[in-house]
Amino acid sequence: MKYETFNPKRHDVSKVAELVYDVDFRTFDMLFKSPEKAIDRISKSLADEDLETFLVILDDNDEIIGILIYYVDRFPRHFNFKSFRLLIVDILDYFALSDVGVGDLYVAEIAIDKSLRGQGLGKKVLSEVIDYARQQNLNRVILDADFRNHGAKKLYERMGFRQFNKKRVKIGKFERGMYNMELKIN
């Protein structure tokens, strides 16, 4: 397994868009009404990503098996004005996701291909992120677990993460909530 900075000219944009969709499919389905529409719109927006910290995870044959998006010392407060529906996702994120400070490594997304889930790859990626944070002398690794994703929250807790905050945003019938979780390094 290896990591490369995502390059829309080199990597399969549709595959990457599908992985982005998988992380937050409930919100995308609510806004786009179908996975196909959501994945198509995500594909079109990928050229605008902060590529420095948007990584694809590759197997030994250079096939994409996952993605990792992270930020150090900041949470990107960019808003996608090219798509109204993706702008709504960004606004929901603004109110529900962790606050990131200096010395923090924020894991925005980890997604592993559906066919490879349950094999410990997500745990391995997160372990490598934690090791990287230690090498960089960062204070903590933070991430968010959706209220509805009990399995992810339990995995994070087994790896030493603890909930430090809980945020939720509700618009009409739609509700999005996150457990803000941290692993203190130093």
Side-chain angles (χ1 to χ4, degrees):
M1 188 167 69
K2 61 184 177 181
Y3 303 87
E4 285 185 6
T5 300
F6 171 64
N7 181 339
K9 294 178 181 156
R10 182 168 180 268
H11 298 111
D12 182 346
V13 174
S14 295
K15 174 68 175 176
V16 171
E18 183 180 317
L19 290 163
V20 170
Y21 164 83
D22 284 347
V23 172
D24 198 10
F25 68 90
R26 291 176 186 96
T27 302
F28 288 123
D29 284 353
M30 188 260 315
L31 293 169
F32 289 94
K33 307 299 183 213
S34 81
E36 296 78 19
K37 288 179 184 176
I39 291 167
D40 180 62
R41 190 62 205 121
I42 295 166
S43 293
K44 291 175 181 170
S45 74
L46 283 173
D48 298 331
E49 289 297 324
D50 175 359
L51 299 180
E52 179 182 334
T53 60
F54 189 130
L55 306 177
V56 291
I57 305 166
L58 305 170
D59 66 11
D60 293 336
N61 298 318
D62 288 336
E63 296 294 323
I64 296 173
I65 60 171
I67 60 168
L68 168 64
I69 304 171
Y70 72 95
Y71 302 94
V72 175
D73 295 334
R74 65 188 174 89
F75 181 83
R77 297 293 183 200
H78 69 278
F79 292 97
N80 190 330
F81 292 105
K82 293 181 181 177
S83 167
F84 178 71
R85 288 183 175 108
L86 291 179
L87 174 62
I88 291 172
V89 173
D90 290 340
I91 291 169
L92 293 171
D93 284 351
Y94 179 81
F95 289 106
L97 301 182
S98 294
D99 296 318
V100 179
V102 174
D104 292 340
L105 185 148
Y106 176 67
V107 178
E109 294 187 19
I110 294 177
I112 301 298
D113 184 273
K114 287 178 185 177
S115 68
L116 300 171
R117 291 182 189 156
Q119 299 179 24
L121 294 173
K123 183 177 180 179
K124 182 176 183 194
V125 169
L126 191 52
S127 293
E128 290 175 1
V129 167
I130 293 166
D131 289 345
Y132 173 80
R134 283 192 176 105
Q135 292 167 6
Q136 300 301 308
N137 293 315
L138 296 172
N139 297 323
R140 63 187 184 150
V141 175
I142 57 177
L143 47 75
D144 299 294
D146 189 291
F147 286 173
R148 298 164 294 193
N149 194 343
H150 303 288
K153 185 175 187 271
K154 286 180 182 182
L155 168 67
Y156 302 147
E157 288 171 340
R158 282 193 308 270
M159 294 186 72
F161 285 83
R162 298 292 170 245
Q163 179 183 326
F164 70 93
N165 198 6
K166 183 164 76 170
K167 293 183 180 180
R168 110 188 208 310
V169 61
K170 186 171 183 174
I171 301 171
K173 293 181 181 180
F174 178 77
E175 181 178 4
R176 182 167 187 195
M178 296 288 177
Y179 297 107
N180 305 146
M181 303 187 75
E182 68 182 354
L183 175 68
K184 293 183 180 179
I185 305 285
N186 294 326

